[in-house]
């Protein structure tokens, strides 16, 4: 790492001493509202050079000949533009405003905000060298998507796995979430999950993102751990002039009759003769709702005879609050050097009560060879949390992802140097998560599987509090965090072959250090003999008597009696002589671990126009991974006998080729061959041991 930083310092030191023999041309393309237009095609007609604007609407041409030049600009949904300029020695910085409409039409068509957003996305998608899709902020704002996962599910080739009605885990081209990568401004986001690398997409509000890039094929300068694909979330840059926008909305959820509140604000602009750009945004989303569902596990009896071995009826009461803040500052030291600082803070609280009626261990009964019915165990369980201002009698899942980064872009004569360094942390905190369960064993139950889409199991007579026996009362604690520090350096050398075919060579290095730790704890509380009758005969809440079934699959799916969240959360457990407290080591001892990973990468990317209709991106990426994992060495599930450590390293050589063929203006054909990797989930690499001597 010290060598990388030394090289960076050397580059920056000599950059001020390099003299360009030819000029540099920086072109920024905006609309009539001074909003950036990414993906615009810029052609220097006299020098036969072509390039495309980036997400900030900017393109940089180095090694440009001085003198008269004609600039041609095309953009879907806007009138083609031709502008004559004079290029002088040094850096030439110009801004060009485009007008709405299509010059090929007999009349000018004015685009609304929705079509403007679509035009931005289509232009970026059109000019991309690899296969992928683009979503712009204007498109996201036209839909009622509160998190970025719900916005992504509108992209072709993407499916989202939902949690409580919100899109959470991303599936690209049919591949599982752990086989895909999610990055923020090009740097991978750490995961708050305890055993895998998935990034929960419902953690990030959609209002915080300017552009979403979905890459279905990789290029050598992208992180390689994305077999399915990678999603790059690009935050909002500083606007070209002062801008303030805000949105406030509210509503009512019919399920649980809960309130909805949304607030988003954005402010930014440029100061000090456009040298300093500042933008900040704030988003708050509060949602009170719930869900009702049924789940079943099928079993095979005699041939042609299927029945339910387990059946759940569940009721969830949920409150989910997202808060997010993002800020970006960029400073132009001069026309050749720009420094950008940015940070984002995402904080989501998920409060949940769950009431579950489970019939388990169901088996068919026979007498003298004749089928007499089904028997099973009936369990009713309440999930909640303690009574304080933070947990609020519910299970609290607090997830936080925060990032801070610095990056720079420097024009060194005919070449461009880019660097970035970022730190990020993801954490999940679950305090005082409580479960209280009652049961009734060896019960005859009624089963109806005539409609396999709506099967159900129920007791012959409704259960009351006197029918239930205390089974289990537990309290658990969970704490997971992952830290990531990443530094990247790119060195780009643009050139022209034969005075008409544009190309570039990009060299890059990347260094990343990751650490992850999971700390769980688990306790069981057994009531004393004098407490047990009170627990068993306490006043339960009976959801069978409430009108809560209009969102179930039918009123036959009735829950029954449950311990109330108040009773579960307000009962003092620790230090209470009415309970015996036992730490259940078998529930967590083998699950806790520490993990450290170091990833070093070097790559070469070559972009080249083969002809005016064919271009390619090719190159190779080398990634070296070093892992250092520590797990617990456990005997008979309950005795910690020290820890076990594993260290290893491996190298991946990953070639990539992307071809782009444009036979005519409104048709583009792409082909890609890319190679990537999928690192195992963190817990899959933990060298823990759990020896059961009784099982040999």
């Amino acid at each position: 790492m010290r060598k990388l930083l030394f090289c960076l310092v050397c580059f920056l030191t000599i950059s001020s001493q390099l003299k360009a023999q030819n000029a540099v041309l920086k072109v920024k393309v905006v609309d009539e509202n001074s909003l950036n237009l990414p993906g615009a095609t810029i052609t220097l007609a006299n020098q036969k050079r072509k390039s495309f604007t980036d997400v900030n609407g900017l393109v940089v041409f180095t090694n440009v000949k001085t003198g008269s030049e004609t600039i041609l600009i095309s953009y879907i949904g806007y009138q083609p533009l031709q502008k004559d300029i004079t290029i002088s020695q040094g850096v030439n910085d110009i801004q060009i405003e485009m007008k709405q409409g299509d010059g090929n039409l007999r009349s000018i068509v004015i685009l609304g905000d929705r079509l403007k957003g679509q035009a931005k996305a289509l232009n970026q998608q059109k000019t991309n060298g690899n296969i992928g899709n683009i979503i712009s902020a204007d498109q996201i704002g036209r839909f009622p998507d509160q998190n970025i996962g719900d916005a992504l599910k509108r992209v072709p080739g993407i499916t989202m796995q939902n949690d409580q009605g919100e899109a959470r885990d991303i599936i690209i081209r049919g591949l599982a979430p752990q086989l895909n990568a999610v990055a923020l401004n090009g740097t991978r986001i750490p995961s708050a999950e305890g055993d895998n690398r998935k990034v929960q997409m419902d953690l990030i509000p959609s209002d915080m993102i300017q552009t979403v890039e979905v890459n279905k094929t990789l290029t050598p300068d992208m992180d390689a751990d994305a077999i399915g694909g990678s999603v790059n979330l690009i935050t909002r840059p500083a606007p070209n002039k002062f801008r303030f926008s805000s949105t406030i909305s509210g509503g009512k959820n019919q399920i649980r009759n809960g309130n909805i509140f949304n607030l988003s604000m954005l402010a930014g602009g440029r100061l000090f003769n456009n040298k300093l750009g500042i933008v900040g945004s704030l988003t708050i989303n509060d949602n009170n709702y719930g869900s009702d569902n049924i789940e079943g596990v099928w079993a095979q009896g005699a041939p042609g005879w299927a029945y339910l071995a387990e059946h759940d009826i569940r009721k969830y009461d949920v409150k989910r609050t997202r808060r997010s803040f993002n800020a970006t500052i960029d400073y132009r030291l001069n026309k050749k050097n720009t420094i950008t600082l940015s940070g984002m803070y995402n904080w989501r609280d998920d409060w949940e009560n769950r009431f579950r009626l489970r019939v388990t261990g169901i088996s068919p009964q026979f007498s003298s060879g004749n089928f007499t019915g089904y028997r099973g165990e009936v369990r009713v369980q309440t999930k909640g949390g303690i009574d304080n201002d933070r947990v609020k009698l519910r299970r609290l899942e607090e997830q936080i992802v925060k990032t801070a980064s610095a990056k720079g872009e420097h024009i060194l004569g005919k070449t461009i140097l880019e660097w970035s360094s970022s730190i990020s942390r993801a954490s999940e905190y679950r305090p005082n998560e409580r479960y209280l369960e009652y049961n009734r064993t060896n019960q005859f139950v009624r089963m109806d599987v005539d409609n396999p889409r709506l099967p159900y199991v129920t007791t012959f007579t409704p259960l009351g509090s006197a029918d239930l026996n205390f089974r289990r009362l537990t309290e658990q604690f969970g704490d997971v965090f992952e830290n990531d520090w990443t530094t990247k350096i790119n060195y780009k050398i643009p050139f022209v072959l034969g005075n008409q075919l544009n190309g570039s060579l990009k060299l890059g290095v990347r260094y990343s250090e990751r650490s992850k730790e999971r700390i769980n704890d688990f306790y069981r509380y057994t009531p004393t003999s004098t407490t047990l009758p009170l627990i068993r005969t306490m006043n339960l809440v009976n959801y069978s008597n409430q009108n809560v079934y209009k969102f179930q699959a039918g009123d036959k799916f009735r829950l029954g009696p449950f311990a109330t969240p108040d009773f579960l959360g307000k009962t003092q457990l620790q230090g209470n002589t009415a309970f015996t407290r036992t730490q259940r080591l078998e529930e967590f001892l083998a699950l806790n671990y520490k993990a450290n990973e170091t990833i070093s990468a070097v790559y070469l990317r070559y972009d080249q126009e083969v002809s005016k209709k064919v271009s390619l991106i090719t190159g190779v990426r080398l990634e070296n991974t070093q892992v250092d994992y520590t797990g617990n060495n456990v005997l008979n599930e309950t005795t910690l006998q020290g820890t076990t450590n594993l260290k290893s390293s491996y190298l991946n050589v990953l070639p990539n080729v992307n071809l782009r063929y444009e036979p005519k203006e409104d048709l583009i054909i792409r082909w890609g061959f890319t190679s990537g990797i999928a690192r195992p989930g963190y817990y899959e690499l933990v060298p823990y041991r759990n020896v059961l001597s009784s099982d040999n």
Side-chain angles (χ1 to χ4, degrees):
M1 189 61 220
R2 287 194 293 267
K3 292 181 180 180
L4 295 181
L5 295 176
F6 175 75
C7 294
L8 174 60
V9 172
C10 290
F11 273 126
L12 296 179
T13 302
I14 65 175
S15 64
S16 60
Q17 302 175 6
L18 292 176
K19 300 296 182 181
Q21 296 178 351
N22 289 338
V24 174
L25 177 62
K26 300 174 71 174
V27 181
K28 187 154 195 171
V29 182
V30 300
D31 64 8
E32 67 280 3
N33 297 317
S34 294
L35 299 178
N36 302 328
L37 293 180
T41 302
I42 312 294
T43 303
L44 305 183
N46 299 341
Q47 301 185 41
K48 298 181 180 180
R49 295 182 62 179
K50 182 175 71 173
S51 190
F52 312 106
T53 57
D54 61 15
V55 293
N56 297 319
L58 180 67
V59 65
V60 178
F61 293 94
T62 61
N63 197 25
V64 179
K65 296 178 181 179
T66 58
S68 299
E69 183 58 76
T70 299
I71 298 179
L72 306 177
I73 305 178
S74 62
Y75 201 82
I76 296 175
Y78 287 74
Q79 300 178 49
L81 186 145
Q82 176 176 320
K83 186 177 181 65
D84 296 322
I85 63 170
T86 300
I87 301 175
S88 57
Q89 195 68 260
V91 178
N92 299 261
D93 207 341
I94 64 173
Q95 180 170 303
I96 297 178
E97 179 181 310
M98 299 198 72
K99 298 184 181 299
Q100 297 182 44
D102 190 337
N104 296 323
L105 301 178
R106 294 181 180 178
S107 59
I108 301 300
V109 178
I110 303 300
L111 301 180
D113 288 342
R114 180 178 63 84
L115 293 180
K116 284 183 181 179
Q118 187 174 352
K120 288 182 180 180
L122 288 174
N123 275 283
Q124 294 177 81
Q125 191 166 308
K126 175 184 177 182
T127 56
N128 270 358
N130 63 329
I131 301 173
N133 298 90
I134 303 292
I135 310 175
S136 72
D138 305 286
Q139 288 175 295
I140 295 173
R142 297 300 140 189
F143 297 104
D145 301 326
Q146 297 305 319
N147 70 69
I148 204 66
D150 282 322
L152 276 168
K153 68 185 179 185
R154 305 179 187 279
V155 176
I158 286 185
T159 304
M160 300 299 299
Q161 292 179 341
N162 288 357
D163 176 75
Q164 295 297 340
E166 291 191 332
R168 170 166 289 186
D169 298 325
I170 185 170
I171 298 172
I172 302 178
R173 298 189 295 117
L175 295 180
Q178 57 266 30
L179 302 181
N180 307 309
V182 180
L184 183 68
N185 297 322
T187 301
R188 181 153 182 164
I189 302 174
S191 170
E193 297 281 333
D195 56 358
N196 57 64
R197 303 174 188 270
K198 295 186 299 185
V199 176
Q200 294 189 349
M201 305 302 293
D202 58 353
L203 181 61
I204 302 174
S206 57
D207 291 338
M208 306 302 290
I209 303 303
Q210 173 70 24
T211 304
V212 180
E213 298 177 345
V214 180
N215 298 292
K216 298 174 182 176
T217 60
L218 303 177
T219 56
D221 53 338
M222 295 180 184
D223 289 350
D225 52 345
I227 287 182
S230 70
V231 176
N232 187 26
L233 309 176
I234 301 173
T235 56
R236 298 176 183 270
N240 300 309
K241 62 180 183 180
F242 177 75
R243 183 186 179 195
F244 174 81
S245 64
S246 65
T247 302
I248 300 177
S249 63
K252 200 82 170 177
N253 270 316
Q254 288 183 307
I255 301 180
R256 307 299 180 262
N257 199 31
N259 296 320
I260 307 172
F261 173 75
N262 301 304
L263 169 67
S264 64
M265 300 178 65
L266 179 142
R270 305 204 68 86
L271 305 170
F272 306 123
N273 198 24
N274 288 332
K275 279 185 169 290
L276 177 66
I278 301 175
V279 64
S281 56
L282 170 71
T283 296
I284 298 174
N285 169 244
D286 187 76
N287 198 356
N288 293 269
Y289 61 115
S291 63
D292 303 277
N293 75 306
I294 56 174
E295 299 181 15
V297 177
W298 289 89
Q300 179 73 44
W305 178 22
Y307 65 94
L308 290 170
E310 186 170 280
H311 185 261
D312 283 6
I313 304 175
R314 302 185 181 192
K315 174 181 182 290
Y316 293 87
D317 295 332
V318 180
K319 175 181 172 64
R320 188 169 287 180
T321 303
R322 271 185 295 267
R323 291 138 294 195
S324 186
F325 175 74
N326 176 62
T328 299
I329 301 174
D330 69 79
Y331 186 71
R332 299 172 182 172
L333 303 174
N334 50 48
K335 292 184 177 182
K336 293 186 177 182
N337 300 282
T338 301
I339 303 292
T340 303
L341 304 176
S342 63
M344 175 179 278
Y345 188 93
N346 295 290
W347 175 17
R348 188 198 68 189
D349 286 333
D350 184 282
W351 291 276
E352 179 186 288
N353 287 126
R354 186 191 68 195
F355 306 92
R356 186 185 72 192
L357 170 62
R358 168 171 290 177
V359 184
T360 187
I362 305 173
S363 61
Q365 303 297 303
F366 298 89
S367 177
S368 302
N370 297 318
F371 173 69
T372 59
Y374 295 95
R375 282 186 185 269
E377 178 187 357
V378 181
R379 298 176 184 175
V380 294
Q381 184 191 76
T382 300
K383 175 168 72 172
I386 64 173
D387 180 27
N388 63 25
D389 293 339
R390 185 76 182 101
V391 180
K392 304 177 182 178
L393 297 173
R394 294 184 174 186
R395 185 275 291 140
L396 169 64
E397 179 185 271
E398 174 196 272
Q399 287 198 345
I400 296 175
V401 173
K402 46 190 175 183
T403 65
S405 65
K407 64 179 181 179
E409 182 177 296
H410 311 274
I411 300 174
L412 312 177
K414 303 176 183 180
T415 62
I416 298 174
L417 173 70
E418 299 173 329
W419 60 269
S420 67
S421 184
S422 66
I423 56 174
S424 54
R425 178 182 174 91
S427 63
E428 181 182 84
Y429 176 55
R430 298 173 72 142
N432 302 99
E433 185 173 339
R434 292 183 174 182
Y435 294 83
L436 176 56
E437 190 169 62
Y438 299 83
N439 71 338
R440 186 78 171 180
T441 59
N442 199 27
Q443 290 288 293
F444 269 106
V445 294
R446 182 171 60 236
M447 182 182 301
D448 185 345
V449 294
D450 289 341
N451 183 353
R453 292 183 58 85
L454 295 174
Y456 78 98
V457 177
T458 184
T459 57
F460 282 95
T461 58
L463 290 175
S465 59
D467 301 313
L468 297 173
N469 298 307
F470 173 84
R471 181 174 185 269
R472 182 180 297 172
L473 173 59
T474 63
E475 185 174 41
Q476 61 191 58
F477 303 81
D479 195 3
V480 177
F481 62 85
E482 179 179 344
N483 297 317
D484 183 280
W485 174 53
T486 300
T487 296
K488 296 187 291 186
I489 302 175
N490 296 323
Y491 189 65
K492 184 177 181 180
I493 308 171
F495 54 83
V496 180
L497 292 181
N499 295 323
Q500 60 179 354
L501 298 178
N502 298 293
S504 68
L505 195 65
K506 183 187 284 189
L507 308 172
V509 292
R510 173 184 179 272
Y511 180 83
S512 176
E513 290 184 359
R514 299 174 183 169
S515 64
K516 187 152 191 167
E517 186 170 2
R518 177 163 64 185
I519 306 171
N520 286 353
D521 204 353
F522 193 99
Y523 296 90
R524 180 177 290 182
Y525 294 88
T526 304
T528 63
S529 58
T530 56
T531 312
L532 185 58
L534 176 63
I535 296 290
R536 185 169 58 240
T537 60
M538 67 180 186
N539 186 22
L540 305 180
V541 56
N542 195 327
Y543 284 105
S544 294
N545 299 327
Q546 298 186 21
N547 184 22
V548 295
Y549 297 99
K550 56 185 176 181
F551 299 108
Q552 271 285 14
D555 59 6
K556 61 185 178 182
F557 297 102
R558 294 182 174 272
L559 283 166
F562 289 87
T564 64
D566 281 57
F567 178 84
L568 177 60
K570 293 181 178 180
T571 300
Q572 178 65 33
L573 295 180
Q574 190 171 353
N576 190 342
T577 58
F579 296 91
T580 301
R581 183 175 188 249
T582 306
Q583 189 177 36
R584 306 298 292 188
L585 300 174
E586 69 274 16
E587 296 286 352
F588 68 90
L589 204 55
L591 297 177
N592 293 341
Y593 67 90
K594 293 182 180 180
N596 293 282
E597 291 184 350
T598 300
I599 301 171
S600 305
V602 60
Y603 70 85
L604 172 67
R605 170 174 167 167
Y606 176 45
D607 294 49
Q608 182 61 58
E609 282 187 339
V610 181
S611 68
K612 290 304 178 183
K613 294 185 176 181
V614 180
S615 61
L616 70 83
I617 300 173
T618 187
V620 63
R621 183 181 185 92
L622 281 71
E623 280 201 356
N624 183 72
T625 306
Q626 294 179 303
V627 301
D628 183 355
Y629 278 62
T630 301
N632 289 332
N633 191 358
V634 183
L635 176 63
N636 294 326
E637 297 187 311
T638 59
T639 303
L640 179 61
Q641 294 189 317
T643 59
T644 304
N645 181 257
L646 169 67
K647 293 183 180 180
S648 66
S649 64
Y650 52 91
L651 175 69
N652 296 99
V653 180
L654 307 163
N656 291 288
V657 179
N658 285 277
L659 279 174
R660 180 180 182 274
Y661 174 47
E662 190 173 357
K664 54 183 182 178
E665 187 177 358
D666 58 355
L667 176 63
I668 298 174
I669 300 173
R670 289 184 171 89
W671 175 87
F673 167 80
T674 65
S675 50
I677 62 174
R679 294 181 176 87
Y682 287 101
Y683 191 60
E684 293 170 340
L685 295 175
V686 175
Y688 73 92
R689 295 176 183 173
N690 196 356
V691 179
L692 299 177
S693 57
S694 60
D695 288 346
N696 295 322

